[in-house]
Amino acid sequence: MPVHGGGQAALDHLVEQDVAGDEVVFRNTPVAVVPAAAAASLPPVDSVPLLPDLFALDDDGASGPYEALPVPRGFGPWDAISVTRATAEQITADLATSPTGRHLSCEWLQDTLLISSDPRLRTEPGRPGRLVRPGADGPYRIGGLWPWRDWSPEEDDSAR
């Protein structure tokens, strides 16, 4: 994609390019090309709140979307996402009916979430599960127990 006038630096924070696959991936970031005069009247890009990233538990998109704080460029599906208590509660409810959660159980212990696996499947016998507490800034960081799937509006069954 040709970029004129040194615009590549401006695009770098909006676009993640897969060099091997020649694919451009936009991570929940709307992009527009506007004339310079119109752009000058807009607020600076860093003053606009970032849109949340959206995730699902399964490939079919039957669960979610779960709003999470924006994830970094190097985010992998097994990494943790940061969610509110309400979103964490929705994830735990959906795990009970999702293929992803078929061997997991969730229990709230006041403000701490215990996610445990079937004892017969544990790789570390005697370890009850993972405790997820809210971080100092509030969100719960949930990850490493299943791969997160990017959620897209096309996967939303409620719109059909």
Side-chain angles (χ1 to χ4, degrees), residues 49-115:
L50 295 173
L51 294 175
D53 282 326
L54 301 174
F55 294 94
L57 292 173
D58 304 306
D59 286 328
D60 63 6
S63 63
Y66 307 114
E67 285 191 2
L69 292 176
V71 297
R73 275 185 183 221
F75 177 81
W78 291 91
D79 293 342
I81 62 171
S82 296
V83 299
T84 64
R85 166 76 185 239
T87 300
E89 288 174 352
Q90 186 60 52
I91 292 168
T92 61
D94 291 349
L95 274 171
T97 60
S98 164
T100 297
R102 69 184 168 273
H103 299 295
L104 299 172
S105 62
C106 300
E107 180 181 353
W108 284 96
L109 310 168
Q110 297 173 356
D111 69 342
T112 301
L113 171 60
L114 170 62
I115 304 174

Side-chain angles (χ1 to χ4, degrees), residues 10 13-14 29 34 36 38-50:
H13 73 283
L14 300 176
T29 306
V34 296
S41 67
L42 299 174
V45 173
D46 58 357
S47 70
V48 178
L50 295 173

